[in-house]
Amino acid sequence: MDTDDSSDSPRRIKSIQTASAILEAIQYLETPTFTDLCDEVEISKGTVHTYLETLESEGFITKSGNEYRLGVRLVTMGESVRNQTDIYRAGQDEVEKLAEKTGEWVHLTVECQGQEVTLYESSGDRAIAMDYHLRMRESPQYLYHTAAGKAMLACFNRDRVRELVDRQGFVQRTEKTITDIDTLFEELDHIQTQGYAVNDEEEVRGMRSVGTAITRPDATVCGAISVTAPTSRLSGDYFESEIPELVMEAANIIEVNLETAGVKQPR
């Protein structure tokens, strides 16, 4: 078993790290060739070939011609992960209801390794930008780019926020994207005060969103729920009060569902 024995960090199994890096490269590059993967992962061609053969035999990837894709075995694993997640079971119905009320995209998200991952989403009858939202589901997002992400960040202590930013850096998507730590901290303080976060064209021009964190009674962050729509529809009082109230109401119901799940009723 190959391990990383550095005394400054916990022991890691290098082969698993390498397999993970290859899977992430295939996801990111979409349909890479063998040469593409050799360029992306810094190990010998022979070792890359051995990993690819093994991952393919286990169903984690498939090969078509000279191109590689992620395998469908990962779909069933992902479904199992989602179905066993408390917040998904507690929040699925509320996501559907909120999408029906607003007619827009609604996302239920969680934080994973300092990024935002979509567990579930629903589109109302006016929702647009299908391809964009599908890509959001396939790729983790920076927390400071989105309303849901910022709502979760506002619940973290500032040392953790600073550590995440130091590790990831700021990536500017639009002219409105937050790109410095002091501005981010100011916004997080404001989010804590008002109870919800907004994304005002900070990730995609012409799109706004409103999100709020979902927490347990001990203030542990479980995830967040958000509504996303074009700026032409998400504006004025609708953006500043109506949608925030609906989003916070949905989050509250999900929190109650989480708290009461499995609670036995008195006889």
Side-chain angles (χ1 to χ4, degrees), residues 90-106:
Q92 180 183 9
D93 288 346
E94 291 310 310
V95 170
E96 296 285 354
K97 291 175 184 176
L98 189 55
E100 184 177 355
K101 286 180 183 177
T102 63
E104 309 292 358
W105 279 102
V106 178

Side-chain angles (χ1 to χ4, degrees), residues 15-32:
S15 57
I16 295 179
Q17 291 178 318
T18 301
S20 176
I22 290 173
L23 290 172
E24 288 182 356
I26 293 173
Q27 178 185 12
Y28 174 73
L29 298 173
E30 295 185 352
T31 55

Side-chain angles (χ1 to χ4, degrees), residues 11-69:
R11 289 165 61 86
R12 299 287 187 266
I13 300 175
K14 292 181 180 179
S15 57
I16 295 179
Q17 291 178 318
T18 301
S20 176
I22 290 173
L23 290 172
E24 288 182 356
I26 293 173
Q27 178 185 12
Y28 174 73
L29 298 173
E30 295 185 352
T31 55
T33 64
F34 175 75
T35 301
D36 294 331
L37 292 171
C38 289
D39 292 340
E40 189 74 16
V41 184
E42 296 180 356
I43 54 177
S44 69
K45 291 184 178 180
T47 303
V48 172
H49 183 267
T50 300
Y51 273 94
L52 292 173
E53 290 286 323
T54 305
L55 290 168
E56 185 177 9
S57 69
E58 294 297 319
F60 292 115
I61 65 173
T62 61
K63 184 180 181 182
S64 177
N66 65 343
E67 296 178 338
Y68 292 91
R69 292 178 173 83

Side-chain angles (χ1 to χ4, degrees), residues 171-215:
V171 177
Q172 187 166 10
R173 294 281 180 82
T174 75
E175 65 275 10
K176 293 188 175 183
T177 304
I178 293 174
T179 56
D180 71 87
I181 193 71
D182 291 336
T183 301
L184 177 60
F185 282 159
E186 288 177 7
E187 181 149 358
L188 297 183
D189 289 340
H190 183 59
I191 292 166
Q192 285 183 320
T193 300
Q194 70 180 5
Y196 65 91
V198 300
N199 166 10
D200 187 4
E201 300 184 274
E202 296 161 50
E203 186 178 18
V204 177
R205 289 180 60 191
M207 298 290 284
R208 284 177 172 154
S209 59
V210 176
T212 192
I214 298 164
T215 62

